[in-house]
Amino acid sequence: MSKIPAACMGYEATLKCINKTLSDLGTSTLDVALIHRPNNAVIDKSRTIFIDHELRLSTWRALQDARRQGLVRYAGVSNYGT
């Protein structure tokens, strides 16, 4: 399982994050990939990321494309209310 953090949200960034995770783990498929805390602004030491509808939607689309490509078996959301 892997979580997609705010810094990896967006279509291209999500696919890049998934591919890096697969490479780091030395595997070709993730059982589960979750969008982590998709409704909050996240403060990084160098920036603030405001997660809006379009950013969430493009992240979800990337997860669905990764699923269709066989990179991810299941996609979901984690900690939506926090």
Side-chain angles (χ1 to χ4, degrees):
M1 179 185 71
S2 180
K3 290 185 180 179
I4 307 298
C8 288
M9 289 187 74
Y11 188 86
E12 294 298 327
T14 297
L15 292 178
K16 184 177 177 181
C17 185
I18 289 169
N19 285 311
K20 181 178 180 340
T21 300
L22 290 170
S23 176
D24 289 350
L25 294 174
T27 189
S28 60
T29 306
L30 292 173
D31 286 332
V32 179
L34 302 173
I35 302 172
H36 183 59
R37 297 177 68 184
N39 62 336
N40 291 335
V42 175
I43 300 173
D44 187 306
K45 289 184 180 182
S46 62
R47 62 193 165 143
T48 300
I49 302 167
F50 295 99
I51 303 169
D52 62 10
H53 174 76
E54 190 56 42
L55 193 57
R56 284 190 303 268
L57 186 57
S58 64
T59 301
W60 183 252
R61 285 182 181 138
L63 283 177
Q64 294 307 303
D65 284 349
R67 195 178 55 77
R68 281 188 279 278
Q69 295 169 21
L71 301 175
V72 172
R73 288 190 181 132
Y74 300 98
V77 178
S78 167
N79 299 77
Y80 197 92
T82 60

